[in-house]
Amino acid sequence: FFFVSFFPPPLKMQLTQKINEDTAALKVNNRCGLSTGSRGRGLFFGMSGFDGGDPRLITVPLEGTVCVAEDPSKAEAKEAIADVYARWEALHGMIPPPAVMGALQGEWNKDLRVAVGLLWASQSVPAWKKYREEWMPTYANLPSLYLATAKELTELQDEQVMGMAKGAQSMMDRAWDTVNASPVMSELAGATKEDFAWAYSMIHTRCFGAEIRPGIGAAFCAPVVDMVNHSFAPNSKYVCDAEAGTFQLKWDTSNPRHPVPVPTAEVLVSYGDRLPNAFLAVKYGFVDPA
C-alpha cells in the first residue's frame, strides 16, 4: 500500500531549503523535503506540482557521490571510477590522495572500500564534512545492529538476529584490522575504530548499488538520496545515469497505482525484494511491517 504523511507546509519548505543550502556545494538538485512519517524520518515530495512529468526527485552529479566499483579488477570499472574522482577537482578543489585512491580501486571487498571512501570524504572534503555534521546520524544515533552491545543483542530475544548481528560485527572488526594496518590510515586524520565503525555501518544502511556503465556495477553514497526509506511497495527508484553523469532518485511513473506524486507523499524505494526481517534488522536497523 501507499503511505502518505501530512505535515505543516512551512516546516516542509524550511527543511527543503535547509537541505538544499547544506548540499549546494555538492550540486544536489533536490525536490524533496524531510519530515517524519509512518516509517520514521524520511523524504517527502515537497513540490506543488510534477513539473511537466519530470520524474527526477533528486539528482546528484557523480562527482558529488562517494563510489567504488563492484569488481575493481575490470579495466573498464577502474576507468569509470577514476573518471568520477578526476572530476572531483572541479567540484571539490581536491581529489582523493594516492593512498585513499589506492584503497578505493584496490582488492579489498566493496564494503570496506566504500567505507574508507566515506570516512575520508566526511573528514577531509568540506562539502561532505558539512553534510555529515548536519544530516547524517552520529555513532550514538545510528540505528544499526553492527554497533549494538552484547547486552542490547541479548535483549532482542531473537537468536537468529543475534547470531547474524554477531557475525556482522566480527566481519566489521576484521575490516578495521585490515584498514588499521594499511597505508590509508595516514590519510584518515587519526581515525579510531569507532570512526570506522560509524562509516562501515553507514554504508550498510545508506549506500546504493547501480550500474555506473552498462554491465559495470558500483556502490554509491549519494547525499540526500541516502535519506529515502524502504517499502516492499515502492513508488520510486534509484538509478545511475551514466550518460548524464548523475545519480538519481526518480518517481516510478510506470506504477499504475500512483503514476505521479502528490505533495506530502512519502518517497519510498525497495532495499531488496522480500528481504526477511532478520536481515532488515541487522543491516538497516528496522523491520518491515508488511
Side-chain angles (χ1 to χ4, degrees):
F1 52 95
F2 181 40
F3 283 89
V4 176
S5 177
F6 295 90
F7 48 97
L11 175 60
K12 174 186 66 180
M13 296 310 296
Q14 182 183 22
L15 288 173
T16 302
Q17 182 179 356
K18 171 67 172 166
I19 294 171
N20 292 345
E21 289 174 352
D22 289 342
T23 58
L26 291 164
K27 302 298 183 185
V28 176
N29 186 341
N30 171 41
R31 303 166 65 194
C32 296
L34 181 67
S35 191
T36 301
S38 56
R39 294 172 183 263
R41 194 178 82 162
L43 296 174
F44 294 76
F45 186 65
M47 307 297 284
S48 59
F50 201 36
D51 290 358
D54 184 351
R56 293 172 296 181
L57 303 177
I58 302 173
T59 302
V60 186
L62 292 184
E63 58 268 31
T65 72
V66 173
C67 62
V68 302
E70 293 272 0
D71 182 1
S73 68
K74 296 180 179 179
E76 188 177 357
K78 279 186 177 293
E79 179 184 303
I81 299 300
D83 284 350
V84 170
Y85 289 110
R87 298 201 296 272
W88 270 43
E89 182 68 43
L91 182 60
H92 301 292
M94 62 194 303
I95 60 174
V100 174
M101 198 64 203
L104 295 172
Q105 294 276 53
E107 297 180 354
W108 290 345
N109 70 56
K110 175 199 66 179
D111 293 344
L112 200 164
R113 286 182 285 119
V114 73
V116 165
L118 176 61
L119 180 56
W120 175 79
S122 64
Q123 288 182 329
S124 303
V125 180
W128 264 101
K129 185 175 182 180
K130 183 176 182 64
Y131 183 67
R132 174 180 177 175
E133 291 171 350
E134 296 292 334
W135 296 104
M136 300 180 91
T138 64
Y139 179 95
N141 295 327
L142 188 58
S144 171
L145 292 185
Y146 282 83
L147 307 180
T149 65
K151 181 175 182 292
E152 289 169 337
L153 290 179
T154 300
E155 289 173 349
L156 292 175
Q157 298 184 342
D158 188 311
E159 292 294 330
Q160 181 184 18
V161 172
M162 184 165 60
M164 291 174 65
K166 287 181 176 179
Q169 290 178 344
S170 178
M171 186 178 299
M172 182 173 69
D173 288 342
R174 292 195 298 272
W176 164 248
D177 290 342
T178 298
V179 171
N180 195 35
S182 76
V184 78
M185 281 300 294
S186 65
E187 301 290 350
L188 294 182
T192 64
K193 184 177 182 179
E194 183 174 297
D195 294 326
F196 179 78
W198 170 85
Y200 195 85
S201 299
M202 281 298 304
I203 64 97
H204 279 90
T205 60
R206 298 172 70 146
C207 196
F208 303 93
E211 290 190 348
I212 193 167
R213 291 183 182 175
I216 303 296
F220 299 86
C221 294
V224 188
V225 178
D226 63 3
M227 298 182 184
V228 68
N229 279 331
H230 159 82
S231 173
F232 286 130
N235 53 35
S236 301
K237 56 188 177 182
Y238 50 87
V239 298
C240 175
D241 186 332
E243 188 172 330
T246 59
F247 191 85
Q248 303 173 3
L249 180 64
K250 304 173 70 173
W251 191 267
D252 185 2
T253 57
S254 68
N255 192 322
R257 296 184 62 190
H258 36 74
V260 298
V262 295
T264 72
E266 182 168 9
V267 179
L268 299 165
V269 300
S270 173
Y271 293 177
D273 294 337
R274 308 316 308 177
L275 294 173
N277 272 330
F279 181 89
L280 291 173
V282 171
K283 186 164 185 178
Y284 301 113
F286 70 86
V287 295
D288 193 286

